[in-house]
Amino acid sequence: VQLQASGGGLVQPGGSLRLSCVGSTSRFAINTQGWYRQAPGKQRELVAVITSGGTTKYADSVKGRFDISRDHAANTVYLQMNRLKPEDTAVYYCNADHSYSVTRPGEYWGQGTLVTVSS
């Protein structure tokens, strides 16, 4: 499975961005898609994940500001990021898996897309 992410960029604090990630077709269904991020000098961490059944999980730091959604038929996941803060600056990675697990990263990773929040 190949994942193609897009939508990163430079935004001012308080602004919004929308990330998209399209997954290639697969013999087996992609049941979980999500986003992780890695800031300079820090470990990669979960941002948000969603299953084909609608289960979602968010990092506490983004709850109420970010919204994850998914077009299951198109294997596409979106991350709407609102009220962005400088601490949201990171490389954001798309992630996917055939399982329904939201407690661990999936098997497949996309290339990162850089989000920079700065005035």
Side-chain angles (χ1 to χ4, degrees):
V1 175
Q2 294 182 336
L3 304 174
Q4 182 66 45
S6 61
L10 173 65
V11 63
Q12 292 186 340
S16 298
L17 277 178
R18 189 190 196 208
L19 304 183
S20 301
C21 178
V22 181
S24 62
T25 55
S26 171
R27 178 178 180 184
F28 301 103
I30 298 296
N31 289 308
T32 302
Q33 285 183 278
W35 296 91
Y36 288 72
R37 67 186 181 187
Q38 188 167 18
K42 295 187 177 181
Q43 291 187 332
R44 192 173 297 189
E45 63 177 3
L46 168 74
V47 178
V49 65
I50 185 169
T51 72
S52 55
T55 299
T56 59
K57 182 178 180 179
Y58 291 89
D60 288 342
S61 59
V62 307
K63 284 181 180 177
R65 299 189 297 122
F66 291 11
D67 181 61
I68 190 169
S69 60
R70 186 178 180 213
D71 182 339
H72 178 67
N75 277 347
T76 301
V77 64
Y78 305 97
L79 185 68
Q80 178 65 45
M81 304 185 293
N82 301 319
R83 304 200 311 273
L84 282 158
K85 304 176 181 180
E87 50 264 44
D88 294 318
T89 295
V91 177
Y92 284 69
Y93 295 92
C94 181
N95 181 257
D97 200 73
H98 301 297
S99 77
Y100 290 88
S101 176
V102 297
T103 59
R104 57 170 176 78
E107 179 178 356
Y108 306 105
W109 292 95
Q111 91 288 4
T113 184
L114 178 63
V115 172
T116 303
V117 184
S118 175
S119 54

